Structure formats: structure tokens, C-alpha cells
Amino acid sequence: MSSIPPLSLVRFLLLVALLLGAAAARADDASDLAQRVYDRPNGRDLTTLGRMVLTEKGRAPRIRELVTYRLDKARGETANLIRFLEPEDIAGTGLLSIDKADGSTDQWLYLPALDRVRRISSSRKGGRFVGSDLYFEDLQERKPSKDRQRLLGKQLENGILCDVLESVPLDADDSVYKKRISWIDPATAIPQRVDYFEQSGNTPSKRWLLRSKKRTQGYWTLTDSRMIDLENGHETRLVIDTALYDQKLPAKLFTSQALADESLESEYRP
């Protein structure tokens, strides 16, 4: 004859089941939030004209003018092209990134002084892009499925009560970062701040901050943002002066040929 479990054991098992269910729900909520950020409406294509401002102690700010293009391609691919226009010592330099549906990214850099296109190897994803505080990895569109997502709670940032999201790579070799912590506006799915952790999982090495945004053609445009090196205080500010969405950019704009030949893309500049 089977025995009936003691009431205390039944309560314990129910408590364990509730805790496991709550943990699974929190994990689902974290993944859903990360996916909302990734899927935020941004137009089929986007062209921007703006400035990169490099600031460090004891030196005058260095200002670089640049144009960027982005296109959502078929089969879940996204293409991005960055081209510097001024000053003369960096004019013509370009970076082409192709983010693939499987989560991998191909990147090519064009340097006018060498007049050649060079592929960026995956081992260089932690390399600084043209001396800025942006790594090559920062210029990729990372899929949420490549990270383990966890909600850490809520916290004020930029005057907004944000959801705080921790993202840890499932494959440690797949990112230069040990983890990222993002403060996300739940109303717009726009990050207000992101802390990047490299050597230590406790102390961030870099911090990205959103300073302003505005609606353009019905889409949110991040018009002023900064990436700060927390060790030396060096700062890279990105300002967007003009943004044009859904201009029917052609796929031929996002090729190594167009990367090496400005005449193939200059007609699409704002």
C-alpha cells in the first residue's frame, strides 16, 4: 500500500515548482526584451550624415564627417556601409559590414592610402575602428540568440525607469566582451546606456550613453550618443545631423566594389 507524502514535503515540492516556473518566466521576459530591442522598427533602409567627435584630455577635439548607409536585405541579412568625408587624412576610408542570418558577420575595411580592401578577421573584433572607442564588434548587429539574457531589475537612467538587462555570450570566444548590461526604455525598446565588461565581469571598461533622439519619418533616430573608455576617459561622440529612411537604396551599394569606389555611392548622399 503506497504511503501519502507528508504535507511538508508536498509544500516543498510545490514551492520548488513555483520557483522554477518563475525563473523560466523571467528568462523568457529577458529574451523577449532583447528581441524587442533587436527588432525595433528602423526602416527598410537608412542613410545618415553626421559627425564623429574624438575627445581626450589635453587635446582639442578631432571632428570627422561621415555618411552611413544601412539596408535590410533578403534572407535576414543586414548591410551597413560607413564612409568618412572629412578631414583629408581620413576622407574616403570606409567600412562595410554584412550581418548574416546565422548570426555571423563579415567586415571589410577600405584605406585610400593603400587603395585596397582588407577583410577584418574575427580575431580583430576587439580592434579599435579608426582610432575611436568603437571596436569592430560594436559595429556589428549582434543577434539576441547568441547571448544568455537575464533581467536584473529596474533603474532610472536618463530620467527614464529602465529595465536592466544582462547579456552574456553563450560562447565566450564569440565576443570580446564577457558581458553587457543595458538600461532599456520599455516604452520604445531603445537602450539609454550600455556598460561593456572585458577583462573583469565586475568592472565595466566602456560605457555607451544616449544623449538625444528624435522622430524622423515615424522612426526613432539616435541623434547624439557617446562611447566612453572608462579607464582613460577618451570619448567618441556620434552626432546625426540628417537621417533619411526608406530611400530604396540598391544592394549594389553594399559591395566591396562600392566600398573601394566612392563614385558608386556618392550619388546617394544626403
Side-chain angles (χ1 to χ4, degrees), residues 25 31 55 132 151 165 175 181 201:
S31 296
T55 305
S132 73
L151 284 171
L165 180 69
S175 174
I181 296 180

Side-chain angles (χ1 to χ4, degrees), residues 26 29-30 33 36 150-166 181-189 192-193:
R26 286 196 298 271
D29 289 345
L33 178 60
R36 280 187 62 214
R150 183 166 69 108
L151 284 171
L152 303 181
K154 293 182 178 290
Q155 190 174 351
L156 277 175
E157 183 66 39
N158 231 5
I160 299 170
L161 185 60
C162 294
D163 291 321
V164 184
L165 180 69
E166 178 188 72
I181 296 180
S182 306
W183 284 253
I184 299 167
D185 178 0
T188 61
Q192 305 297 305
R193 165 182 164 186

Side-chain angles (χ1 to χ4, degrees), residues 93-149:
T93 299
L95 178 71
L96 173 64
S97 301
I98 305 294
D99 298 297
K100 299 181 178 180
D102 64 3
S104 63
T105 300
D106 291 332
Q107 290 180 302
W108 295 267
L109 180 69
Y110 174 69
L111 300 173
L114 301 178
D115 193 26
R116 70 184 180 95
V117 173
R118 179 165 56 89
R119 184 164 183 162
I120 304 298
S121 68
S122 59
S123 63
R124 287 204 61 208
K125 64 179 62 177
R128 292 180 180 269
F129 174 54
V130 295
S132 73
D133 298 290
L134 299 169
Y135 295 165
F136 285 103
E137 180 175 335
D138 299 329
L139 300 169
Q140 302 174 3
E141 296 190 7
R142 186 174 179 87
K143 289 187 176 296
S145 58
K146 300 182 77 173
D147 298 321
R148 184 179 70 253
Q149 314 289 350

